[in-house]
Amino acid sequence: MRKNFLAFDFGASSGRAILGRLEDGKLTMEEIHRFSNDPVELCGHYHWDIFRLFYEIKQGLIKYANGGYGKLDGIGIDTWGVDFGLLGKNGELLGAPYHYRDKRTDGMMEKAQQLMPRREIFNHSGVSFEFFNTVNQLLAMKLQGSAALEGAQDLLFIPDLFAYFLTGCKGTEFCEATTSQMVDPATRDWSEDIINAMGFPRGIFGKIEQPGTLRGMLLPEICKETGLEPTPVYVVASHDTNAAAAAVPAQGDNWAFLSSGTWSLLGIEVDEPVVNDVTYSRNFSNEGGIGGKYDLLSNIMGLWIIQQLRADWERQGEKLSFPDMVKLAEEAEPFKCFIDPDDKTFVAPVGMEERIKEYCRRTGQAVPNTRGEVIRTAYESLALKYRQAIDALEQITGKKIDVLHIVGGGCQNLLLNRMTASAIGRKVVAGPAEGTAMGNILIQALAEGSIKDVQQLRAVVRASVDTTEYMPQDEAAWNEAYRRYREVTGC
């Protein structure tokens, strides 16, 4: 029997409604609605346009109802991590949720570490230190006397907030919650130590639910507006990274995954969180996964730099497609210079070309002169950053990694895939490109009962998608480039 599931998959710049049809052990997917996700600057702060995004969710539901697809068996929502909305005593939203790049978190990591030492925060969370983590956002609101925080009764992460709008049911999904840097890896529940040290109101943190459970049914008014019958809304791995990791078409144990997009999340599955000196010193993160596991991963800047180069040049009047940029990079001199993609220089969204050149000047390197050289510098440096992360994972776990599975939109970048295989000296398997939506859909099927376990879930992925393999080339040249990269970046 065919089952129909609808995934709402939100990225930092766009969102989609993806229909997944599961039949005879295979999944087919169809995009039925796409929309932009445009942050709004208001009174000097960046916010998510949450009400328009919810409007777009309802448009996706209406398109399904009017599309003749048959009975809808489930709905799931995944988004980026860390961001949240606050609800007041009557369940109303207290203001537009902030964007994770909003400047109010400037200096908050340091202030948090005055309240609890850095190493203790890591011991009680197992999560890497990022300026945008929820703990830093909440601390900013507390220190700035936020009226919304003072009046809050509930904190809901963005996917949980959308699910609340659809069902009226509140809850906190485990994978998303771990991105907050406030979930204790030992208990898999909120860290009372961190919450108390920061002085946050304990009552706003709700019950944590595992992926693959039912959140609630569509509200009657949503059914009336969209034309749908009462439909279950399932808790999926609602942080997009962990949804993508669920859809890795891997077998055996000696593999790592790379969720490639604006951010690159490179990691492995582990049975228990790894909280030790090495994961602390290398800023690795333990995020909730599916099937009771954790994803031990490194959060890398990813294709953000490439995207911002393109945006900069478009503002200057030159429109380059991503294939155009790849062609320019292929024609440029290899290994001319390197950057650390995670350097704070590259966080801001404007002036990326000059930031790359200034980094090279500051580190005593040759400066890229042409656009092709700038792009190639970004691509090569990203591939070498992946090698650094894989080397660290092998050191941390003592496990040999033979294969890197790349999922997400970035897996369609053939040049970066080739560079990555050569840089890491291992086979790369690229696909599925729609890994996040696929993971979302198949976790719904797991919750609904059409899939029995994670092993069967990944068997469905293997049966449903074509992948492309890349093998290392020019290993001696890439080994020398890696030596220079580490020397320049100090990594």
Side-chain angles (χ1 to χ4, degrees), residues 116-124 129 275-277 280:
M116 175 180 274
R118 182 183 177 95
R119 181 58 191 264
E120 287 188 32
I121 293 175
F122 184 74
N123 289 344
H124 288 297
F129 291 85
V275 181
N276 58 29
D277 290 342
Y280 170 71

Side-chain angles (χ1 to χ4, degrees), residues 36-49:
S36 66
N37 182 3
D38 306 296
V40 177
E41 186 174 9
L42 181 65
C43 300
H45 291 282
Y46 281 103
H47 298 270
W48 297 106
D49 195 351

